[in-house]
Amino acid sequence: MKSLGWSAVALAVILSATTFPCVAATSTPPPRHYSLPTVPLHTEAIVEVNKKGQVVRIKSTKPCKVQSFNIQTFGNALQMWIRRPDGTAEVGLYRVSYDYDPKTHGVTRKVALVSAGGTWGNDEGAALVMIEQARKTAQEEKQHEEEQNAKLPSLNQIRGASPTPKPEPQITLPPA
């Protein structure tokens, strides 16, 4: 199978994305406390692939000792498309392995067919399912926020002012 190597810069960006805590915007950047692994890393995932070549789910995994590498590689496997060079796909179980080389800081990904066929050929890809779930969650949160805002008193009610101005009394002068 064909292997795909990542540059050291790309791996550093990926590793830093999961190892840095979220930091509020400040005038000076926070100090960077990270280093790339100094030992070789290897992870494997057995994935189910549908008739379009989309990974439907991860059936099993073999993690390494570095949790951030596991998260990155398994997340990558969930988003993969496995197709032949002509664009066609074969439903089946595939082994996806990732090997990190500490000398080059590169990651090699290898894909191999384990067995052809499966009952998940018509299932939707995992990435599309995650996108749809995120869309629904965002829509539900927006609806909940709108409902909460509808229950809030108006600014005029809070200030004690009425929405329409009160007519001012007419002043009449005594006859001269």
Side-chain angles (χ1 to χ4, degrees):
M1 282 288 162
K2 185 178 177 184
S3 65
L4 173 70
W6 291 346
S7 70
V9 174
L11 181 63
V13 170
I14 291 169
L15 287 175
S16 67
T18 59
T19 56
F20 286 153
C22 292
V23 178
T26 61
S27 59
T28 58
R32 297 183 180 199
H33 301 288
Y34 69 90
S35 60
L36 295 174
T38 57
V39 295
L41 303 176
H42 175 83
T43 61
E44 285 184 13
I46 302 296
V47 297
E48 298 174 356
V49 175
N50 67 14
K51 65 183 178 186
K52 296 177 184 177
Q54 302 166 319
V55 171
V56 173
R57 69 187 56 84
I58 294 179
K59 186 173 180 175
S60 65
T61 62
K62 288 185 182 175
C64 67
K65 293 180 181 180
V66 178
Q67 188 64 22
S68 62
F69 189 71
N70 294 334
I71 292 168
Q72 291 158 15
T73 56
F74 299 150
N76 179 273
L78 278 173
Q79 299 175 57
M80 285 182 65
W81 290 66
I82 300 175
R83 292 184 173 175
R84 297 182 187 106
D86 66 358
T88 61
E90 182 174 3
V91 175
L93 284 178
Y94 290 80
R95 175 181 295 109
V96 182
S97 63
Y98 297 87
D99 292 293
Y100 169 73
D101 182 352
K103 293 177 185 169
T104 64
H105 303 294
V107 176
T108 303
R109 179 176 66 187
K110 296 178 185 172
V111 178
L113 179 65
V114 174
S115 65
T119 59
W120 52 85
N122 291 323
D123 291 357
E124 195 169 9
L128 296 177
V129 170
M130 288 185 283
I131 289 169
E132 182 61 23
Q133 286 175 342
R135 187 192 65 74
K136 284 181 181 177
T137 300
Q139 186 178 9
E140 289 170 1
E141 288 174 359
K142 181 180 177 185
Q143 183 179 358
H144 179 71
E145 184 178 313
E146 288 172 355
E147 290 171 359
Q148 291 294 324
N149 288 342
K151 294 177 184 177
L152 293 175
S154 71
L155 183 58
N156 288 328
Q157 290 171 327
I158 293 171
R159 292 181 21 209
S162 63
T164 58
K166 295 179 183 173
E168 295 196 22
Q170 296 290 328
I171 300 176
T172 57
L173 295 173

